[in-house]
Amino acid sequence: MNTADEFTAKLHARWPEWGIGAVFLPASQRETAFAWFALLQELTDAAWTGADATPGLAKLAWWNEELLGWAKGARRHPLGAVLQPHPAPWMALAAGLLPLQGSRDRPLSATPAQAGLDGIALAVAECEQGLFGTGANPGAAAGAIAFDLFAVRQLLRGEVDLAVHPPGTGPASRACTRPRRLQSAFVRERLRRVASGQAAAVRPWRSLWLAWRAARSTR
């Protein structure tokens, strides 16, 4: 196992749904998708986990420098070997890390915007367009991604409340890339399960159905 694989293994350990969902991605996108969501997991863990915010702040500062390096063609982190060659706006993603950290202490809010996630969501949407194809519409996709990030924050912080933050129905719209639509389906299903008092883990048959529906979505 190389070091990039170690990070994608962490993604699969937390999100085993991808072991099933990957079949609905083109083979050429799978390695990139796993590396991308592993990167987002590193960033959101740094922002939102741990009793003390200081280590996460230091980690995000390191990632800010790393992503600025990716924009210039340099890389140190092993995930960069997979991600950095793609024409994604790494500088914009770096700029979103400070507000991502700032969202840590926001109270449970009615909207992702009140949690300060709109800017980082747009940067994520623009990166996903660069990573997975030009068919996506970052401006339209940013709203769905902001909710996904907000849902992950709820799950990590134990603040799930669907009565205040309804996830909506169906997969994310066609404005999103296919990898994003699958991840959105997985995140929202977990949010629904936890809010209804169930374990977060999604059964394999349910993961298969969610991934199939998200992959074929035209909404």
Side-chain angles (χ1 to χ4, degrees):
M1 178 181 289
N2 63 37
T3 50
D5 287 340
E6 291 173 8
F7 288 93
T8 58
K10 288 167 60 178
L11 173 75
H12 285 286
R14 185 176 299 179
W15 295 93
E17 296 94 326
W18 272 112
I20 295 172
V23 71
F24 294 101
L25 295 182
S28 61
Q29 287 188 352
R30 291 172 192 169
E31 181 183 32
T32 302
F34 297 156
W36 171 244
F37 290 115
L39 171 61
L40 292 182
Q41 181 168 289
E42 291 296 307
L43 299 179
T44 53
D45 279 2
W48 297 327
T49 62
D52 182 0
T54 304
L57 182 60
K59 189 170 185 179
L60 288 176
W62 186 92
W63 270 111
N64 179 74
E65 293 184 4
E66 177 70 1
L67 292 170
L68 291 176
W70 289 11
K72 299 175 183 177
R75 60 178 184 257
R76 294 172 293 175
H77 197 278
L79 289 174
V82 179
L83 297 173
Q84 185 273 330
H86 291 273
W90 303 118
M91 192 172 295
L93 186 61
L97 297 187
L98 185 60
L100 180 67
Q101 173 67 23
S103 70
R104 174 188 174 93
D105 296 322
R106 299 287 178 93
L108 192 62
S109 306
T111 66
Q114 291 174 338
L117 296 173
D118 283 355
I120 184 70
L122 180 58
V124 168
E126 291 172 344
C127 285
E128 291 182 356
Q129 182 186 43
L131 291 168
F132 303 117
T134 58
N137 182 334
I145 293 171
F147 185 86
D148 290 351
L149 292 170
F150 190 63
V152 168
R153 178 182 180 270
Q154 288 184 305
L155 291 166
L156 288 174
R157 303 298 298 276
E159 299 175 340
V160 173
D161 185 355
L162 287 186
V164 179
H165 310 290
T169 58
S173 74
R174 269 291 180 194
C176 298
T177 64
R178 182 178 289 189
R180 168 55 54 185
R181 296 201 308 273
L182 267 64
Q183 178 68 359
S184 180
F186 299 151
V187 168
R188 295 175 187 217
E189 176 67 6
R190 285 198 178 196
L191 193 69
R192 183 195 67 78
R193 290 179 60 83
V194 173
S196 63
Q198 303 177 67
V202 182
R203 292 176 182 270
W205 67 265
R206 177 70 174 171
S207 298
L208 180 65
W209 184 80
L210 289 167
W212 172 80
R213 187 179 69 165
R216 69 187 295 271
S217 173
T218 58
R219 292 188 293 166

